Amino acid sequence: MLTPRGTLYLVPTPLDFGVALEAAPADTWLPKETMLVASGLTHWITENAKSTRAFLKRVEAAVGIAAPMQNQHIVELPRAAHKKGDHTPQAGGDAQARELLAPALQGHHIGLVSEAGMPAIADPGSAVVRAAHALGLQVVPLTGPVSLMLALAASGLNGQSFAFVGYVPQEASERGKRLHDLEALALKTGQTQILIETPYRNTALLQALLQTLHPHTRLAVCCAMSLPQQVSRSALVSEWKRSPGIANDLPLDTPAVFLFGR
């Protein structure tokens, strides 16, 4: 008799991990249906085991969990997936990802999580998703906050054509060239450009955007999306410069999304 195969669930987690924000109850940012699926899982593939345990404690407080914390099977993604990304088969170690999914072949459902947000979107996890498809496993993304889409909706920029470009270089001249190239593409095609940065470098990125982009380009900055502290600001670059107060209440020490375009 064949053993039924488990499902890979893509489980969104809150954006307040690792930043100076008070953790909100789980049911303020996740639908009950998503929490119930998460509460029933005992096998996890994660970017960071510590953050996953913290996440499970919040789920446990809201709806309970299927097994005590010490009986939860939590395995971390290879470090290479953090350093180099895992969006291409060459970079991500698809063979290792298949090994991580072995419990699903024995009938266990598995949750894939990142430190914060939706796994495999601006975070590691795509190699695991590819491996699940290759193994014939069902892949089910659960409903929850995806900061990139929330920011795009709040930006007033083109939501019909957009690109997530990740991080830009830290070195000033390289960063300026990259931003110039992205802006030229945005102004020519109408495609909104979406980027992110590590929270402690958010202020530097905002300053670079204001120094580099044309005055008539629209710039939006959306911080702490889906959290009680969330703030979104969208204006022409000329307006950002003319009224510095636009940025005064932006919590730039939290996860932020930067968007620009026509």
Side-chain angles (χ1 to χ4, degrees):
M1 181 176 178
L2 294 176
T3 301
R5 294 188 170 193
T7 295
L8 177 66
Y9 289 99
L10 311 185
V11 184
T13 52
L15 297 178
D16 54 8
F17 174 78
V19 294
L21 299 174
E22 182 179 351
D27 56 7
T28 65
W29 44 261
L30 274 184
K32 186 174 182 180
E33 292 77 9
T34 295
M35 287 195 297
L36 289 174
V37 171
S39 73
L41 300 176
T42 57
H43 288 72
W44 299 88
I45 301 172
T46 178
E47 182 181 3
N48 182 290
K50 179 180 177 181
S51 65
T52 297
R53 293 188 188 97
F55 163 68
L56 287 173
K57 288 179 181 178
R58 295 164 78 174
V59 173
E60 181 178 25
V63 294
I65 53 178
M69 199 66 63
Q70 62 269 25
N71 294 335
Q72 296 282 340
H73 300 270
I74 302 173
V75 294
E76 292 189 343
L77 289 165
R79 294 302 300 172
H82 301 227
K83 299 287 186 180
K84 300 179 181 179
D86 63 350
H87 54 282
T88 64
Q90 295 78 13
D94 285 21
Q96 289 177 298
R98 289 192 184 211
E99 294 176 5
L100 296 177
L101 289 167
L105 301 181
Q106 302 167 3
H108 297 285
H109 299 313
I110 298 178
L112 175 65
V113 291
S114 66
E115 280 195 314
M118 179 66 78
I121 297 182
D123 269 318
S126 58
V128 176
V129 175
R130 282 196 305 276
H133 285 296
L135 292 170
L137 303 177
Q138 186 177 10
V139 177
V140 178
L142 299 179
T143 303
V146 181
S147 61
L148 301 181
M149 296 300 96
L150 295 172
L152 179 61
S155 71
L157 286 156
N158 187 0
Q160 305 300 316
S161 177
F162 52 89
F164 172 61
V165 299
Y167 296 85
V168 294
Q170 296 178 38
E171 198 278 322
S173 62
E174 293 182 8
R175 181 175 58 202
K177 182 180 185 304
R178 177 65 170 150
L179 292 177
H180 274 303
D181 291 344
L182 292 173
E183 183 183 39
L185 176 64
L187 297 180
K188 179 180 179 181
T189 66
Q191 183 186 72
T192 300
Q193 304 299 303
I194 307 173
L195 52 154
I196 58 174
E197 186 49 276
T198 303
Y200 71 85
R201 289 199 290 261
N202 280 341
T203 298
L205 177 57
L206 176 57
Q207 292 172 349
L209 287 164
L210 294 176
Q211 292 169 2
T212 305
L213 299 180
H214 293 146
H216 57 276
T217 294
R218 176 167 290 275
L219 171 65
V221 183
C222 302
C223 301
M225 300 309 293
S226 81
L227 301 176
Q229 301 85 351
Q230 70 177 350
V231 178
S232 299
R233 294 288 178 266
S234 179
L236 299 181
V237 169
S238 60
E239 296 171 337
W240 282 89
K241 291 181 175 180
R242 187 167 59 248
S243 303
I246 293 176
N248 281 352
D249 61 347
L250 286 174
L252 289 172
D253 59 341
T254 68
V257 181
F258 300 81
L259 313 91
F260 60 87
R262 287 180 185 170

